[in-house]
Amino acid sequence: MDNHDEKKNAAHKPVSRREAIQVIGAAAVSAAAGFAGAPLEAAEGGKMEQAPELCFKNATELARRIRKREVSAKEVVSAHLRQIERVNPQVNAICTLLPEQALEAAEKADRTPQKGSAPGALHGLPIAIKDLVLTKGIRTTFGSRIYKNFIPDQDALIVERLKAAGAIIIGKANTPEFGAGSQTFNEVFGETRNPYDLTKTCGGSSGGGAVSLACGMMPIADGSDMGGSLRNPPNFCNVVGLRPSPGRVPEWPSELPWDTLSVSGPMARTVEDVALLMSVMAGPDPRSPISIEESPAQFLRPLDRDFKGVKVAWSRDLGHLPVEPAVVTACEGALGTFRNLGCVVEEDHPDFSGGAEAFQVLRAWVFAAGFTEELNQKRDLIKDTVIWNTEQGLKLSGQDVANAEKKRGIIYDRVRRFLEKYQFLILPVSQVAPFPIEVRWVREINGVPMHTYIDWMASCYYITLTGLPAISVPCGFAPGGLPVGIQIVGRNHGDFEVLQLAHAFEKATGIGKKRPAIAF
């Protein structure tokens, strides 16, 4: 769902987001930051597979085949670009596309020496970076009319790492304005649609990436998460998204380097591919004061594990949240799989009382820190929910923030003690199934009114408060064929263990293999 990492990633010199406010509209977007142009030609030489077949191979398998020269990076990138050209007009997931630049990078990747210079883990794999993340020389709009012409002069740390691992940047993926709200739409590029039902939302704020994965337009995707943005779009699109522990994927540049509500992380079509991406994204960096001092190589270990006797808590509603019956039914239908894996599943939930108040205050404080200048200078170009959230933050007192931090500490301790009894907590990702795209935010669930645009996101943002790792993995479908994911939450810094349980569940169900019809 909603995320605020665009602010954290936009503090840089000499051309910052702040300075970009002063020059809005001053320059046209360069050709290097534009959309797709002429139809793409087939790659030269070699036998070309049909785009859907090549585009739906797992990233791990694609990377292996490229390294072994069984397929070229140019063939892989060309196939994905053709898939984008064919499918993206229906879903509007990729908002900026650089086909010529991507093909040049692919040709260069194919010339990489194979002796004495081992290619990176993502060598030759295409990716469109979330449009909240700085990309040098490539338009980065944050989904805002204020920054519709903003072209950064540097990459964010996560982009540095992806490039160093051999990933090929093909463009940017759509996001809601400033990543605010779990519905991907903005006034710059428009709405991103759910590929399983084009009349429904794909969620947000990492909606463009999740849809691109579901449609075979990218094999891997980055995302970010404050209130659920690495969990809800995968949940709505039948793919996988991991919210890592804060500091697992370091953030830079950042004006709020100590912030632990927002994190960056991976999305993919399989848990194994998410782990592969984590092996690149994770790892310490001195530029991030909260980065975790553990090697990212741990994510390359085998994911298989015996779960016999492992105690798992199932909570349909965290004790009090309204959840649509179709979502509960899909998730409860998955409980037998966990039991078949050997898990001891008990219905239980930790005490999250005070969580809504704590999150609302801390979120508002972050918005006040992030958007006061935009509010003062360009209020007429900002959507109403961002204005409201920022103004809520400006009303806060120091005591308000202190009380919220205290509540957060109490909640963490409750959940920590709860997870001494259970190794994992499983629950619905979202409280609703994908809803009509015209609905900007959910107003009621089961007759219970939602008073703000983030009230309906509690099943995700409660987990955000704890800082615990959580993953969304496909578990079933609601009526009408709409995807439903299940959320697996692990212990403190237990990111790898969360991936292991998700991997076992994924292998046992195969639900994530069902792709949307428009992709073929």
Side-chain angles (χ1 to χ4, degrees):
M1 296 177 190
D2 144 277
N3 180 73
H4 182 66
D5 283 352
E6 79 296 329
K7 166 62 184 170
K8 295 168 63 181
N9 287 339
H12 72 286
K13 297 294 182 181
V15 182
S16 70
R17 210 184 82 186
R18 292 286 170 250
E19 291 163 329
I21 298 177
Q22 311 300 329
V23 297
I24 177 174
V29 178
S30 71
F35 297 102
L40 298 161
E41 297 179 358
E44 297 177 3
K47 180 182 178 182
M48 286 298 298
E49 301 183 55
Q50 293 297 313
E53 181 182 350
L54 191 59
C55 291
F56 280 103
K57 290 192 180 296
N58 294 344
T60 305
E61 171 68 8
L62 266 184
R64 183 193 66 79
R65 292 187 63 186
I66 293 172
R67 285 195 300 271
K68 290 191 171 185
R69 295 190 179 273
E70 295 174 358
V71 64
S72 71
K74 186 174 181 181
E75 287 175 324
V76 170
V77 169
S78 295
H80 285 86
L81 288 173
R82 287 198 303 276
Q83 185 76 342
I84 291 167
E85 183 179 49
R86 190 174 67 84
V87 180
N88 195 56
Q90 301 177 71
V91 293
N92 191 35
I94 295 177
C95 56
T96 295
L97 186 63
L98 310 168
E100 293 182 2
Q101 180 176 313
L103 288 170
E104 288 175 4
E107 291 174 347
K108 182 178 179 181
D110 288 331
R111 295 194 297 268
T112 300
Q114 298 297 298
K115 294 182 179 180
S117 178
L122 307 180
H123 182 74
L125 298 184
I127 184 172
I129 304 297
K130 186 174 180 179
D131 202 25
L132 300 182
V133 181
L134 296 181
T135 43
K136 184 177 181 179
I138 302 174
R139 174 174 49 181
T140 302
T141 75
F142 315 107
S144 166
R145 288 176 291 169
I146 298 174
Y147 300 105
K148 64 182 180 180
N149 296 323
F150 177 47
I151 301 176
D153 65 349
Q154 71 178 104
D155 288 323
L157 172 57
I158 192 172
V159 178
E160 291 179 1
R161 289 184 169 182
L162 290 168
K163 285 183 174 180
I168 293 174
I169 311 300
I170 62 172
K172 305 301 286 283
N174 205 21
T175 185
E177 183 178 339
F178 296 126
S182 192
Q183 227 278 43
T184 298
F185 69 94
N186 59 62
E187 296 297 323
V188 181
F189 302 114
E191 302 158 331
T192 297
R193 297 178 178 272
N194 192 308
Y196 290 84
D197 182 342
L198 296 176
T199 70
K200 300 296 192 295
T201 179
C202 63
S205 63
S206 305
V211 171
S212 295
L213 291 168
C215 293
M217 297 190 293
M218 295 190 300
I220 52 174
D222 71 304
S224 46
D225 183 308
M226 186 184 195
S229 292
L230 279 160
R231 292 165 284 169
N232 195 50
N235 160 61
F236 279 1
C237 295
N238 209 42
V239 298
V240 183
L242 173 70
R243 176 190 162 93
S245 302
R248 182 71 70 188
V249 177
E251 300 280 355
W252 183 87
S254 173
E255 289 184 351
L256 296 172
W258 297 96
D259 178 26
T260 58
L261 287 184
S262 294
V263 301
S264 292
M267 299 186 295
R269 286 188 292 269
T270 70
V271 177
E272 184 181 29
D273 289 350
V274 165
L276 173 68
L277 202 46
M278 277 295 285
S279 75
V280 171
M281 290 181 169
D285 189 284
R287 293 171 289 184
S288 171
I290 65 168
S291 62
I292 296 173
E293 294 289 331
E294 292 179 6
S295 171
Q298 65 178 292
F299 295 104
L300 294 175
R301 291 182 294 163
L303 290 169
D304 293 326
R305 171 185 165 184
D306 183 2
F307 283 94
K308 185 176 181 180
V310 171
K311 294 189 70 175
V312 173
W314 153 249
S315 178
R316 70 181 66 197
D317 59 5
L318 292 180
H320 68 281
L321 298 176
V323 183
E324 285 183 351
V327 173
V328 174
T329 298
C331 290
E332 286 186 332
L335 299 183
T337 300
F338 287 102
R339 293 189 175 101
N340 290 339
L341 292 172
C343 296
V344 178
V345 181
E346 298 180 6
E347 188 161 358
D348 201 354
H349 56 263
D351 181 3
F352 276 96
S353 57
E357 298 88 345
F359 184 80
Q360 290 270 15
V361 168
L362 294 174
R363 172 191 177 85
W365 176 81
V366 170
F367 268 65
F371 299 113
T372 298
E373 189 167 343
E374 282 89 345
L375 189 66
N376 290 337
Q377 297 187 32
K378 301 289 181 180
R379 183 187 183 98
D380 60 322
L381 297 178
I382 303 174
K383 68 178 179 178
D384 58 348
T385 48
V386 174
I387 293 172
W388 171 81
N389 227 160
T390 304
E391 290 182 335
Q392 290 297 110
L394 293 172
K395 296 175 185 177
L396 296 172
S397 68
Q399 189 63 56
D400 291 332
V401 177
N403 289 341
E405 285 289 2
K406 287 180 181 179
K407 287 179 182 177
R408 186 184 186 191
I410 291 169
I411 290 169
Y412 172 78
D413 194 56
R414 289 184 197 140
V415 179
R416 177 190 61 79
R417 286 185 278 113
F418 180 84
L419 289 176
E420 288 177 352
K421 180 180 179 182
Y422 304 101
Q423 189 166 340
F424 300 96
L425 168 65
I426 54 177
L427 70 155
V429 178
S430 175
Q431 295 161 240
V432 297
F435 49 88
I437 200 161
E438 296 82 10
V439 176
R440 293 320 194 192
W441 53 274
V442 176
R443 305 295 173 132
E444 63 87 21
I445 304 174
N446 299 346
V448 178
M450 303 288 108
H451 299 292
T452 79
Y453 81 114
I454 55 175
D455 284 2
W456 68 281
M457 299 156 61
S459 57
C460 274
Y461 74 59
Y462 278 0
I463 305 305
T464 291
L465 283 173
T466 68
L468 299 175
I471 197 168
S472 172
V473 62
C475 82
F477 294 89
L482 295 169
V484 175
I486 198 162
Q487 185 172 193
I488 302 172
V489 182
R491 291 171 174 169
N492 186 47
H493 288 184
D495 306 60
F496 187 73
E497 289 73 21
V498 165
L499 288 168
Q500 287 181 310
L501 181 55
H503 175 66
F505 177 81
E506 175 187 72
K507 284 205 309 180
T509 65
I511 291 169
K513 294 179 181 179
K514 183 177 180 181
R515 303 265 62 92
I518 66 167
F520 298 95

